[in-house]
């Protein structure tokens, strides 16, 4: 496929079209065709990448913050210029509609720009000394060091952008391991930095066997910081590996977002808004609204409107302009959706629409709405990470809040009400790192994105995103 770049590794400023661990096909989820062969790094390339990142750090940390900002923003200008072509790459490998891909490229540029600006404001402070012999106590903020960054396939540019943007703005070097399912978008992101003149070694890209790569890089003495986005079991495992070397760690591990719809909300308006929020990126979004808890007085109207919206969605190849929802990324996600639906029905849930894979090539699954789902159903406890919504009715607010908070997840939660007092009290009671009141837009370049409980450790984006790549260092000056 000519629109798709030849997959390559990038180490020390050079592209490598082969790796010592063989290669893997990159598959288009819309038609199951092979887009290219991805070279896989073995120990030899991992060592090279770690050594390059160590050297790159020595160069990059000495650059003034303003000079770093200049290089980084040259790269984001290139991203914006290339947005159309990169969006095609993203849709080919990930499946989301072209318009969503394009928005993701442009948003990634915005995220990186914000962090690059914040890099110029990584202020320290002067603390008044206790003794006259001390001239000054300077609290400074210094880059942590070379970072190993692990990103999944659902937002193949946005998630690398959050990590790379923060690392480079703080003065760290980085090795990115994007998901092997979707390397092309990450390659285009790295290419923009290469073309912008980023010095060799500052940013490297490798793919390989995820468990081997993470074990090797996290244990490597050159690596000082690790950031991971993905599933909770893998996030816990990487956290354990980091603890062995006391490496700084940020983890964004998904969620199972509740949506509380109060009796005073506009059921139809909320249901319409919820259709686009739920089925964006085929539901493969960690902050995707999934557990709709609707006051019983609105339940019927909400379900009818929501189901009508879900049925009307045009599902198809993301390259077709009319497509509103693309395929799932992988056959394994399709199988998981089927299992979750079967289990819910066996537990006594009602299937309001969808619930099946679509015929023909590609990993397409119909937008699915389950109602009256009993607590013991797996879909109410495990993140579906796909186009499945659960809608249940509630009568008692305390019980509904308890249900919203019942899971080990705590990434995002949403609340719809016109009552200001309820908006304040209920949002305060929801156990989540981000609460959207009357909207779903909790992920912005300027605001911190992160979860509580098992949904994560630390935040990305916003000032917090930069802080995750900075250590605090005190320098205390006395008279000689
Ligand atoms: P997975 O856990 O196998 O993989 C998720 C990501 O982690 C992939 O990019 C994979 O390459 C990487 N990974 C896996 N094992 C690793 C290891 N030992 N070291 C480093 N990286 C490793 O899951 P999956 O089948 O790709 O997706 C399924 C689940 O993952 C979803 O149900 C969802 O819960 C979670 N997920 C979450 C996010 C998120 O944004 N938080 C994104 C993608 C997937």
């Amino acid at each position: 496929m000519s629109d798709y770049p030849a997959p390559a590794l990038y180490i020390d400023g050079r592209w490598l079209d082969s790796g010592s661990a063989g290669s893997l096909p990159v598959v288009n989820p819309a038609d199951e065709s092979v887009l290219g062969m991805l070279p896989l790094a073995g120990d030899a390339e991992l060592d090279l990448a770690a050594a390059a990142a160590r050297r790159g750090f020595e160069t990059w940390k000495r650059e003034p913050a303003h000079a770093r900002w200049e290089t980084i923003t040259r790269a984001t200008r290139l991203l914006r210029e290339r947005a159309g072509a990169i969006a095609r790459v993203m849709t080919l490998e990930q499946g989301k509609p072209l318009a969503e891909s394009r928005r993701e490229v442009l948003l990634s540029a915005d995220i990186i720009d914000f962090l690059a600006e914040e890099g110029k404001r990584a202020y320290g402070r002067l603390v008044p000394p206790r003794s006259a012999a001390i001239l000054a106590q300077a609290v400074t903020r210094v880059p942590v060091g070379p970072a190993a960054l692990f990103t999944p396939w659902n937002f193949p540019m946005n998630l690398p952008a959050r990590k790379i943007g923060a690392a480079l703005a703080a003065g760290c070097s980085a090795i990115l391991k994007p998901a092997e399912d979707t390397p092309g978008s990450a390659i285009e992101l790295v290419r923009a930095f290469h073309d912008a003149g980023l010095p060799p070694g500052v940013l490297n890209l490798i793919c390989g066997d995820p468990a081997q790569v993470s074990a090797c890089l996290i244990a490597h003495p050159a690596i000082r910081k690790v950031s991971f986005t993905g599933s909770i079991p893998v996030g816990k495992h990487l956290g354990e590996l980091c603890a062995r070397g006391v490496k700084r760690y940020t983890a964004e591990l998904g969620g199972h977002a509740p949506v509380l719809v109060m009796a005073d909300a506009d059921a139809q308006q909320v249901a319409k808004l919820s259709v686009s929020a739920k089925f964006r990126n085929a539901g493969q979004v960690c902050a995707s609204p999934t557990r709709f808890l609707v006051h019983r007085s609105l339940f019927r109207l909400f379900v009818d409107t929501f189901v009508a919206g879900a049925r009307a969605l045009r599902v198809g190849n993301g390259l077709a302009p009319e497509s509103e929802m693309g395929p799932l990324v992988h056959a394994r996600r399709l199988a998981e959706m089927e299992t979750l639906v079967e289990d819910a029905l066996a537990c006594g849930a009602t299937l309001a629409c969808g619930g099946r894979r679509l015929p023909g090539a590609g990993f397409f699954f119909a937008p699915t709405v389950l109602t009256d789902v009993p607590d013991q159903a797996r879909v109410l406890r495990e993140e579906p990470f796909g186009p499945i919504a659960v809608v249940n009715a509630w009568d008692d607010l305390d019980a509904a809040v308890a249900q919203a908070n019942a899971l080990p997840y705590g990434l995002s939660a949403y609340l719809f009400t016109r009552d200001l007092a309820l908006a304040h009290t209920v949002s305060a009671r929801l156990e989540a790192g981000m609460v959207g009141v009357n909207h779903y837009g909790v992920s912005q370049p300027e605001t911190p994105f992160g979860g509580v409980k098992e949904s994560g450790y630390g935040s990305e984006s916003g000032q917090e995103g930069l802080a995750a790549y900075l250590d605090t260092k005190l320098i205390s000056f006395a008279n000689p």
Side-chain angles (χ1 to χ4, degrees):
M1 177 71 67
S2 59
D3 294 354
Y4 196 79
L9 311 177
Y10 181 74
I11 298 175
D12 208 13
R14 282 189 296 275
W15 296 99
L16 306 179
D17 58 11
S18 67
S20 62
S23 63
L24 200 67
V26 181
V27 174
N28 180 340
D31 61 13
E32 302 177 49
S33 63
V34 173
L35 295 165
M37 293 304 290
L38 174 66
L40 301 179
D43 287 344
E45 290 87 6
L46 296 178
D47 275 344
L48 284 177
R54 202 199 297 256
R55 286 191 302 276
F57 178 55
E58 292 306 316
T59 315
W60 191 239
K61 73 178 182 190
R62 290 192 175 83
E63 290 267 322
H66 192 271
R68 291 201 289 256
W69 171 85
E70 283 180 332
T71 306
I72 295 171
T73 51
R74 266 201 305 279
T76 53
R77 272 199 295 281
L78 292 174
L79 281 181
R80 291 191 178 92
E81 282 168 26
R82 300 171 182 177
I86 300 177
R88 248 186 114 70
V89 171
M90 191 181 295
T91 293
L92 283 169
E93 66 182 7
Q94 201 272 349
K96 65 183 68 175
L98 208 48
E100 279 184 42
S101 295
R102 194 181 153 76
R103 274 199 298 277
E104 180 171 340
V105 177
L106 297 176
L107 186 66
S108 300
D110 285 359
I111 289 169
I112 297 168
D113 276 351
F114 174 82
L115 290 160
E117 276 293 334
E118 285 300 296
K120 294 189 283 184
R121 303 185 191 108
Y123 303 131
R125 65 187 192 277
L126 286 177
V127 179
R130 286 188 157 209
S131 142
I134 304 296
L135 286 177
Q137 302 181 112
V139 179
T140 64
R141 296 168 85 203
V142 296
V144 172
L149 313 174
F150 301 92
T151 53
W153 38 262
N154 53 336
F155 289 101
M157 184 171 280
N158 179 318
L159 299 175
R162 291 178 185 184
K163 298 182 198 299
I164 290 173
L168 298 191
C172 297
S173 60
I175 303 172
L176 172 70
K177 191 203 82 62
E180 285 65 28
D181 314 85
T182 56
S185 309
I187 288 170
E188 291 310 312
L189 178 58
V190 169
R191 196 188 313 282
F193 280 101
H194 174 85
D195 294 348
L198 190 73
V202 177
L203 179 59
N204 307 274
L205 179 149
I206 48 98
C207 287
D209 170 50
Q212 186 210 346
V213 173
S214 57
C216 172
L217 287 184
I218 296 174
H220 200 289
I223 298 300
R224 296 307 318 156
K225 162 82 193 179
V226 176
S227 181
F228 171 76
T229 301
S231 62
I232 291 178
V234 175
K236 286 180 177 175
H237 173 61
L238 299 197
E240 285 168 15
L241 296 181
C242 287
R244 290 183 199 160
V246 198
K247 312 241 164 149
R248 305 287 179 272
Y249 184 48
T250 304
E252 200 273 273
L253 304 180
H256 200 323
V259 183
L260 273 174
V261 184
M262 300 292 158
D264 68 342
D266 179 333
Q268 281 180 303
Q269 191 193 24
V270 178
K272 283 179 189 158
L273 193 65
S274 301
V275 169
S276 48
K278 172 68 240 177
F279 299 108
R280 179 171 74 100
N281 201 8
Q284 302 167 117
V285 180
C286 47
S288 181
T290 297
R291 294 180 292 141
F292 291 88
L293 301 165
V294 182
H295 189 266
R296 193 170 301 282
S297 62
L298 306 179
F299 183 69
R300 218 45 275 162
L301 184 57
F302 183 92
V303 169
D304 290 347
T305 314
F306 192 76
V307 168
R311 282 210 173 107
L313 282 174
R314 284 172 299 212
V315 181
N317 189 320
L319 292 180
E322 66 276 11
S323 293
E324 294 170 301
M325 192 181 104
L328 303 189
V329 77
H330 205 281
R332 67 174 180 268
R333 300 303 312 150
L334 268 186
E336 184 63 13
M337 294 308 109
E338 286 181 326
T339 311
L340 287 175
V341 172
E342 278 165 25
D343 171 78
L345 298 183
C347 291
T350 302
L351 181 64
C353 69
R356 61 192 165 84
R357 64 173 77 194
L358 299 178
F363 310 129
F364 294 95
F365 197 83
T368 297
V369 182
L370 292 162
T371 66
D372 307 288
V373 181
D375 280 349
Q376 71 270 23
R378 274 182 58 200
V379 72
L380 269 184
R381 289 178 284 117
E382 295 168 30
E383 178 183 28
F385 219 70
I388 301 182
V390 171
V391 191
N392 279 352
W394 58 269
D395 302 289
D396 174 67
L397 179 58
D398 287 341
V401 171
Q403 227 175 345
N405 290 337
L407 301 186
Y409 299 95
L411 187 63
S412 59
Y414 307 95
L415 164 66
F416 288 86
T417 179
R418 286 186 269 209
D419 181 326
L420 191 58
L422 267 184
H424 277 286
T425 52
V426 178
S427 61
R429 291 173 66 191
L430 288 171
E431 295 171 0
M434 298 163 293
V435 179
V437 180
N438 294 326
H439 79 133
Y440 287 109
V442 294
S443 175
Q444 304 297 333
E446 301 80 10
T447 52
F449 187 98
V452 298
K453 295 157 86 177
E454 292 195 3
S455 281
Y457 191 61
S459 299
E460 298 194 300
S461 295
Q463 293 174 345
E464 290 80 357
L466 183 78
Y469 292 81
L470 292 166
D471 272 335
T472 299
K473 180 174 182 177
L474 170 74
I475 308 179
S476 184
F477 298 88
N479 278 316

